[in-house]
Amino acid sequence: MLYYICFCSSLHKNVCVNIFIYVDINENKMINRMYVKIVGCYSTQHEMDREDYLRKCSNMKCQRVQVDESYVPALQDGVMEVEHLLAEPRNNLAPQDGSLNSHTTLNSKDDLELEVLDGLLDDVEIDDLEGADGFPGACEEYFFDFGFADKFEEVLGSGPFEGSESHSSGLSRSSIVGGVLESTEVPIAHSESKNDSLDETVTYESHGAFSNNPSQPSQGNCRYNISLDIQHLQELDNYRHLAGGILTCKKDKGPVEKGQPAALREKRFRKPTQRYIEEFSNARSKEKVPPAGTKTKHSSNSSCNVLHIRIKSSKRSPSEKSSNENSEVMLPELQVSKGHQKKEKLQYEYESFPSESEDGCSTTKRSRRKDRRKHQKMWTLPEVLKLVEGISEYGVGRWTDIKKFLFSSSSYRTPIDLRDKWRNLLRASSVQKNKKEVEQNDELALRPLPFNVVHRVRELAKIHPYPRQRGSEKLRVSQAGPSVVADSPPVSLSKRNVRRKFT
DNA sequence: ATTAGGG
DNA sequence: CCCTAAT
């Protein structure tokens, strides 16, 4: 049996941890168990530290690691399907023997873009802190060395955190297969590009708590046991964009006090709603994050403790997806590492045209209306066709009419949505694009728009120019003079008329 | 109340 | 999708 470990790092409540997920490739299952290793605590004393640290942390990606079965703990827990993880025969050609040096991969682009997991800790509730030592000693030097493979190995295995035995040590020494679960994906926008993004990361708040459990003095390993609620994997993707893999708490102040889990617990509140997070982050993105005055660098205890962490399920929106046991949910998000805000990944579903019964999904309708900003409903091909048809009939700009006549039953499609979709269609159809983007567009098209549709859109675009499309026509007319108008018939002029005709 | 435009 | 200015 082959086992793979995915690990990533997160800064959470001033604690940086590594998460290990064990996957049994042969069985197509993911062992519902993760080990988290705390690699250190982050001091909020200095703003500079934070920035620096975050930047460093962002370099830490996930890796898939081939490990010995012996490293995998308690399999019988929960497992979940991870077929898709196997879907692509990644560059797993890497040495299976374990000869590969981790250095080669840690810094390579093979870094697993699995930041999905990075949001994980946010949904983690730490039930038990096994070991009376509280947080393991944080070691600044390690924090800041995340970008370097050699150090990284140190952190993972041979570092001071390593106790008598540890999974991590085995991990770091075992071969790191160059394979990445989803390396082909678009690299996540790096946080360094915008400082704002960094600020955005400072919006998380933990609701979990550390509880001291001296009963089980660990061997000094930083091993944390997590049972993963797969349900949350879906949500993880939502978080991914925030930090590029960095989590931190909303309030920077909370210093990690060594050996005082109780204190920590008091400071943890219920997790804010997504809405709240969004707004808060937006509001906060402008103001500077005050350097939480409290200090407590970090405890110097170099030994690690074992936490038992369980991810709470059904926290928010218990109304709907109340259901599910773990294995229910697939984790496509796990594999999805592309920025989904930019791209729509799915293809059109070909569904029956008179999909008016779309309201049939009334179960989620209410919620969708309410927080439609969250899950955007994908446009189906029939819908697109309908939209195109409507435009050809009523003209561009008559969105309310189109909505009224053709999308009356689709409650979630507002006129604005229609317009937006049309706008996107124009873009997708490369209408009025003189740049090379056109070509690239096709290639990058994640959504193969049927040719006929593209054609129709283009045709329509000719007849019904979208209002002020880059002012292209104006530009042309004004620059080229009236002569052009002659050879390119009344296209632009007819716009108004066309619309009136159907009124 | 709708739409255009931009994020 | 969301928000806002302009109509």
Side-chain angles (χ1 to χ4, degrees), chain A residues 460-478:
Chain A
L460 265 180
K462 286 183 189 170
I463 311 174
H464 307 279
Y466 189 78
R468 259 204 204 164
Q469 180 89 2
R470 289 259 298 117
S472 54
E473 44 183 310
K474 285 188 176 181
L475 217 76
R476 257 200 325 170
V477 172
S478 63

Side-chain angles (χ1 to χ4, degrees), chain A residues 136-156:
Chain A
C139 299
E140 234 170 357
E141 59 250 50
Y142 293 109
F143 292 168
F144 293 20
D145 284 332
F146 280 159
F148 311 98
D150 43 342
K151 290 288 192 175
F152 187 65
E153 183 176 65
E154 219 176 290
V155 170
L156 278 183

Side-chain angles (χ1 to χ4, degrees), chain A residues 28 59-60 63 67 73 78 81 108 114 116 126 152 261 272 274 297 299 321 325 336 365 400 443 446 469 476:
Chain A
N28 269 11
N59 292 331
M60 233 170 119
Q63 296 274 339
V67 297
E81 304 287 342
S108 72
L114 232 165
V116 185
I126 301 170
F152 187 65
Q274 267 208 340
K297 259 292 189 205
S299 53
K321 325 201 154 181
E325 14 234 307
V336 172
K365 181 172 152 189
T400 46
E443 297 170 2
L446 332 106
Q469 180 89 2
R476 257 200 325 170

Side-chain angles (χ1 to χ4, degrees), chain A residues 2-8 18-25 30-31 33-36 61-73 112 114 117 156 166-172 174-177 179-181:
Chain A
L2 290 178
Y3 288 95
Y4 285 81
I5 294 184
C6 310
F7 59 84
C8 64
N18 291 330
I19 302 178
F20 306 92
I21 295 188
Y22 293 81
V23 179
D24 182 350
I25 295 301
M30 170 180 269
I31 295 158
R33 209 160 243 298
M34 299 190 315
Y35 277 71
V36 175
K61 310 281 189 186
C62 300
Q63 296 274 339
R64 179 160 63 182
V65 183
Q66 188 177 11
V67 297
D68 194 326
E69 186 171 354
S70 59
Y71 291 118
V72 179
L112 178 57
L114 232 165
L117 294 176
L156 278 183
S166 78
H167 296 323
S168 43
S169 71
L171 183 152
S172 62
S174 66
S175 74
I176 294 184
V177 180
V180 184
L181 288 185

Side-chain angles (χ1 to χ4, degrees), chain A residues 404-460:
Chain A
K404 211 159 67 172
F405 292 109
L406 283 90
F407 289 86
S408 54
S409 53
S410 306
S411 55
Y412 42 84
R413 298 293 184 212
T414 71
I416 295 182
D417 290 334
L418 302 185
R419 178 186 59 92
D420 286 339
K421 184 56 184 176
W422 175 246
R423 209 163 31 164
N424 287 333
L425 282 177
L426 288 183
R427 230 181 304 185
S429 304
S430 305
V431 175
Q432 289 268 344
K433 276 201 174 174
N434 32 13
K435 300 180 182 178
K436 314 163 189 175
E437 299 179 27
V438 179
E439 317 148 11
Q440 297 175 350
N441 238 343
D442 295 344
E443 297 170 2
L444 298 181
L446 332 106
R447 244 178 146 182
L449 205 57
F451 293 123
N452 54 341
V453 176
V454 174
H455 193 263
R456 280 198 77 178
V457 171
R458 281 180 175 152
E459 292 301 318
L460 265 180

Side-chain angles (χ1 to χ4, degrees), chain A residues 169-221:
Chain A
S169 71
L171 183 152
S172 62
R173 303 229 168 82
S174 66
S175 74
I176 294 184
V177 180
V180 184
L181 288 185
E182 194 70 6
S183 67
T184 58
E185 290 307 332
V186 177
I188 304 299
H190 291 311
S191 52
E192 64 257 33
S193 54
K194 303 171 188 173
N195 290 337
D196 297 344
S197 55
L198 281 182
D199 290 336
E200 270 190 12
T201 66
V202 194
T203 60
Y204 284 87
E205 183 174 354
S206 164
H207 58 275
F210 289 80
S211 66
N212 201 339
N213 183 357
S215 64
Q216 283 204 7
S218 65
Q219 317 82 337
N221 284 336

